[in-house]
């Protein structure tokens, strides 16, 4: 009996490892696409791996929400995502190679060992039984509905908690692999924790740079919060991503060298609102780049940021409308 349980645990860890690789690969490529568009329009150079992966996560979520309008979010959604990523590789192969070489060159042995250790710990956590209360209450069921039926009109009438929709649930459905491995893998929070811990540790300056001391303080807060949340990272709950985004955005804000980069963090705050509305106060940060863009007549940048925000919000509001429809 113990051998059977151990084999099952090893199988789940193997599935989770493959799932992590798939998430990392697709979000990296989607991030490359988004960052390339941003660089072309806003003339800023973004090369940090965490920025690329987080950007990819945002637009993987938009993709999953949009797909859910038309069909169930299962194998076919992943197959089409694979097609999109293949096209990105063909179109941006030179840029991808440059970024990969840059990341490899700037990462020392210590950082590489740290990432491998974080990956292993993330796999251990993600393969555990979900512990968050809301997972059994409605998160797992809501994800399963999205997997099997896509965005279902009036679902909130079946269970009022289904109307508390979060864009994160669509992202979870996209990467759950229920149709591939026979069960839903809920490792997204653990995967995000690996990215954020990697960012918090590798960008920490030990308060040596005065203007980044606040950012360092929030790096420590990220680590403390993830440590506090470690027991629930195997669950697909929405609180972790929302709270982590708040800390991540503020930390990056005090490291951002230009108002253009800060405007991108405001777009990330808008995405955070689609995960959980408690992130909404951070949208007030948009006043800073808004004033700067008006003052210096950067109309193209203002228009681009507005369009990006609309692209993120519209699918979310459609999902909310359909779930809450009576």
């Amino acid at each position: 009996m113990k051998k059977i349980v151990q084999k099952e645990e090893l199988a789940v860890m193997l599935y989770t490892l493959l799932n992590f690789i798939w998430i990392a690969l697709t979000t990296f490529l989607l991030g490359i696409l988004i960052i390339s568009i941003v660089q072309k329009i806003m003339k800023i150079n973004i090369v940090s791996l965490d920025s690329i992966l987080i950007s990819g996560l945002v637009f993987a979520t938009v993709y999953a929400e949009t797909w859910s309008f038309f069909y169930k979010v299962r194998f076919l959604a992943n197959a089409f995502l694979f097609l999109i990523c293949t096209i990105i590789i063909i179109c941006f192969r030179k840029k991808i190679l440059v970024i990969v070489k840059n990341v490899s060159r700037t990462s020392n042995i210590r950082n590489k060992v740290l990432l491998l250790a974080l990956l292993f710990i993330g796999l251990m956590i993600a393969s555990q039984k979900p512990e968050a209360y809301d997972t059994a209450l409605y998160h797992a069921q809501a994800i399963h509905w999205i997997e099997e039926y896509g965005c279902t009109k009036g679902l909130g009438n079946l269970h009022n908690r289904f109307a508390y929709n979060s864009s994160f649930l669509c992202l979870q459905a996209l990467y759950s692999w229920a149709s591939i491995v026979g069960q839903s893998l809920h490792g997204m929070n653990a995967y995000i924790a690996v990215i954020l811990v990697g960012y918090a540790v590798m960008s920490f300056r030990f308060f040596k740079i005065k203007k980044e001391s606040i950012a360092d303080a929030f790096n420590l807060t990220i680590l403390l919060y993830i440590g506090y949340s470690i027991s629930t990272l195997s669950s697909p709950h929405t609180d972790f991503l929302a709270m982590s985004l708040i800390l991540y955005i503020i930390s990056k804000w005090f490291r951002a060298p230009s108002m253009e980069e800060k405007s991108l963090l405001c777009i990330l705050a808008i995405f955070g609102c689609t995960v959980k509305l408690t992130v909404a106060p951070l949208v007030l940060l948009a006043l800073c780049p808004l004033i700067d863009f008006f003052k210096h007549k950067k109309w193209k940048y203002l228009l681009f940021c507005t369009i990006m925000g609309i692209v993120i919000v519209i699918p979310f509001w459609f999902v909310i409308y359909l779930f809450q429809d009576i």
Side-chain angles (χ1 to χ4, degrees):
M1 188 68 179
K2 287 183 178 179
K3 289 184 178 179
I4 294 173
V5 172
Q6 288 175 347
K7 286 182 179 179
E8 289 179 351
E9 289 176 349
L10 286 173
V12 171
M13 281 195 68
L14 177 60
Y15 291 149
T16 304
L17 173 61
L18 295 174
N19 186 245
F20 273 22
I21 293 171
W22 174 242
I23 296 170
L25 179 63
T26 53
T27 54
F28 175 75
L29 292 171
L30 288 173
I32 292 290
L33 174 62
I34 300 305
I35 293 302
S36 298
I37 295 171
V38 169
Q39 288 176 341
K40 187 173 182 179
I41 294 175
M42 301 190 76
K43 311 300 181 186
I44 53 177
N45 191 31
I46 300 172
V47 294
S48 62
L49 185 59
D50 62 280
S51 297
I52 294 170
L53 292 174
I54 295 295
S55 299
L57 277 175
V58 171
F59 284 92
T61 306
V62 172
Y63 166 79
E65 289 177 298
T66 305
W67 183 278
S68 72
F69 300 154
F70 306 103
Y71 199 60
K72 54 189 176 183
V73 185
R74 287 173 69 84
F75 175 78
L76 194 58
N78 281 272
F80 192 74
L81 181 59
F82 175 79
L83 177 62
I84 293 171
C85 289
T86 303
I87 294 170
I88 293 172
I89 291 173
I90 294 170
C91 296
F92 296 94
R93 58 188 180 278
K94 290 182 180 179
K95 188 177 187 65
I96 292 168
L97 286 173
V98 169
I99 291 175
V100 170
K101 287 179 180 178
N102 181 63
V103 170
S104 179
R105 188 177 63 253
T106 55
S107 297
N108 55 37
I109 297 297
R110 183 186 63 184
N111 288 343
K112 290 175 181 176
V113 171
L114 174 64
L115 285 175
L116 286 174
L118 288 175
L119 178 61
F120 179 74
I121 295 169
L123 287 173
M124 291 287 290
I125 294 170
S127 59
Q128 299 301 308
K129 179 182 176 182
E131 296 293 342
Y133 174 76
D134 283 347
T135 295
L137 184 63
Y138 74 100
H139 285 156
Q141 297 95 315
I143 292 168
H144 191 58
W145 271 95
I146 296 168
E147 290 169 349
E148 293 293 338
Y149 306 105
C151 185
T152 307
K153 186 176 181 180
L155 188 61
N157 297 304
L158 181 64
H159 189 319
N160 68 334
R161 294 290 183 122
F162 291 152
Y164 299 171
N165 191 47
S166 168
S167 62
F168 189 55
L169 299 179
C170 289
L171 181 67
Q172 291 270 14
L174 177 65
Y175 289 115
S176 72
W177 277 16
S179 59
I180 298 173
V181 300
Q183 68 178 76
S184 293
L185 301 175
H186 299 310
M188 184 57 71
N189 278 326
Y191 170 78
I192 292 168
V194 170
I195 296 175
L196 294 181
V197 170
Y199 160 75
V201 172
M202 293 178 191
S203 64
F204 189 62
R205 299 290 179 265
F206 297 94
F207 301 96
K208 292 179 181 178
I209 303 175
K210 188 175 181 181
K211 66 178 182 179
E212 293 187 11
S213 58
I214 296 177
D216 282 341
F218 274 92
N219 280 31
L220 290 176
T221 310
I222 289 171
L223 296 175
L224 289 172
Y225 177 67
I226 291 174
Y228 170 78
S229 306
I230 199 166
S231 63
T232 61
L233 291 180
S234 59
S235 300
H237 66 107
T238 59
D239 294 347
F240 174 75
L241 178 57
M243 295 305 298
S244 296
L245 279 178
I246 292 173
L247 302 175
Y248 176 75
I249 289 169
I250 296 175
S251 175
K252 295 283 282 190
W253 183 272
F254 287 100
R255 297 192 197 280
S258 67
M259 199 58 70
E260 285 77 13
E261 288 194 28
K262 289 181 178 179
S263 68
L264 299 178
L265 293 172
C266 296
I267 295 171
L268 184 58
I270 291 172
F271 167 72
C273 293
T274 71
V275 175
K276 204 171 183 69
L277 285 175
T278 49
V279 184
L282 273 189
V283 177
L284 293 174
L285 291 174
L287 290 173
C288 296
L290 182 65
I291 293 170
D292 180 77
F293 290 169
F294 268 105
K295 184 178 179 180
H296 297 97
K297 299 182 180 180
K298 299 177 181 178
W299 309 121
K300 184 171 69 172
Y301 297 170
L302 180 61
L303 179 62
F304 175 73
C305 291
T306 303
I307 291 172
M308 291 279 278
I310 291 171
V311 167
I312 290 169
V313 168
I314 283 182
F316 170 71
W317 282 113
F318 267 107
V319 171
I320 284 288
Y321 171 75
L322 288 174
F323 276 2
Q324 294 184 350
D325 191 33
I326 297 176

